[in-house]
């Protein structure tokens, strides 16, 4: 089973109230090959909400207690990010997830890049809190830029692959 950020499947759960819809994500969910999660919503946030960034490091550092997640108003929201990440991990484990495709640059879901905590648009290498927790539990984490047919093939049922490959489903 594949885990996908809910915003990629078209759910309006991003901090700004929007989504980052990816047609392949929508198809995978519709065909029962993927499940969606939003660690920020699961952690108790509403949509829309103030943007948040990791200060003092990356998701790995937050998990180690060496960095925090703060919103634009300066409120420490680390507890909520950790709670959401733990819920996502439980769901992933309960559903036999082996791979995830997550929204890049998010303080929760970023897989290669996260914002540096200064709210200036500068990014640094590293993972978000949820991605770091999933990776620590041997669940492969890819960013949304990697959500392509060739990259999902090893993780979908053959009949699904045929339908995806021939693009005979419109999303």
């Amino acid at each position: 089973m594949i885990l996908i950020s809910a915003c990629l499947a078209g759910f309006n759960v991003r901090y700004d109230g929007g989504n980052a819809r990816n047609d392949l994500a929508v198809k995978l969910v519709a065909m029962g090959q993927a499940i969606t999660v939003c660690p920020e919503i699961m952690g108790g946030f509403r949509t829309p909400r103030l943007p948040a960034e990791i200060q003092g490091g990356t998701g790995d550092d937050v998990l180690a207690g060496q960095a925090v997640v703060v919103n634009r108003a300066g409120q420490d929201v680390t507890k909520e990010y950790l709670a959401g990440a733990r819920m996502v991990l439980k769901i992933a484990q309960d559903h036999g997830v082996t791979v995830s495709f997550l929204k890049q640059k998010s303080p929760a879901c970023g897989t290669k890049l996260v914002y540096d905590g200064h709210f200036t648009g500068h990014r640094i290498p590293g993972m978000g809190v949820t991605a770091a927790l999933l990776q620590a539990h041997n669940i492969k984490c890819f960013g949304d830029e990697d959500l392509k047919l060739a990259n999902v093939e090893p993780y979908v049922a053959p009949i699904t692959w045929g339908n995806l490959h021939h693009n005979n489903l419109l999303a």
Side-chain angles (χ1 to χ4, degrees):
M1 183 63 67
I2 299 170
L3 185 84
I4 295 179
S5 292
C7 63
L8 298 177
F11 292 96
N12 293 328
V13 294
R14 288 175 44 104
Y15 75 94
D16 60 4
N19 65 65
R21 182 186 163 104
N22 175 299
D23 287 343
L24 181 55
V26 173
K27 289 177 187 180
L28 289 167
V29 172
M31 297 172 80
Q33 298 297 300
I35 56 174
T36 63
V37 294
C38 178
E40 294 173 356
I41 296 297
M42 295 167 78
F45 294 107
R46 295 183 178 161
T47 302
R49 60 188 166 275
L50 291 174
E53 296 185 5
I54 300 171
Q55 287 186 345
T58 66
D60 286 314
D61 299 312
V62 173
L63 294 176
Q66 299 170 348
V68 295
V69 185
V70 298
N71 67 20
R72 187 182 301 266
Q75 297 170 304
D76 185 334
V77 292
T78 306
K79 179 180 166 185
E80 291 86 348
Y81 273 80
L82 289 169
R86 289 182 192 115
M87 286 183 203
V88 169
L89 176 61
K90 171 107 172 71
I91 289 168
Q93 291 173 329
D94 289 350
H95 287 87
V97 167
T98 58
V99 65
S100 62
F101 290 90
L102 305 171
K103 182 66 183 120
Q104 198 61 271
K105 299 179 264 182
S106 157
C109 295
T111 63
K112 296 176 188 163
L113 295 170
V114 293
Y115 290 101
D116 69 358
H118 295 99
F119 297 94
T120 60
H122 184 260
R123 296 173 292 234
I124 59 171
M127 297 184 126
V129 178
T130 299
L133 186 62
L134 292 173
Q135 190 90 355
H137 286 86
N138 299 314
I139 297 172
K140 294 177 188 158
C141 296
F142 297 99
D144 54 305
E145 74 282 359
D146 294 319
L147 187 52
K148 298 178 182 354
L149 279 174
N151 294 337
V152 300
E153 182 180 10
Y155 308 104
V156 297
I159 189 141
T160 301
W161 172 247
N163 284 331
L164 292 171
H165 186 333
H166 297 294
N167 201 26
N168 58 352
L169 289 177
L170 300 176

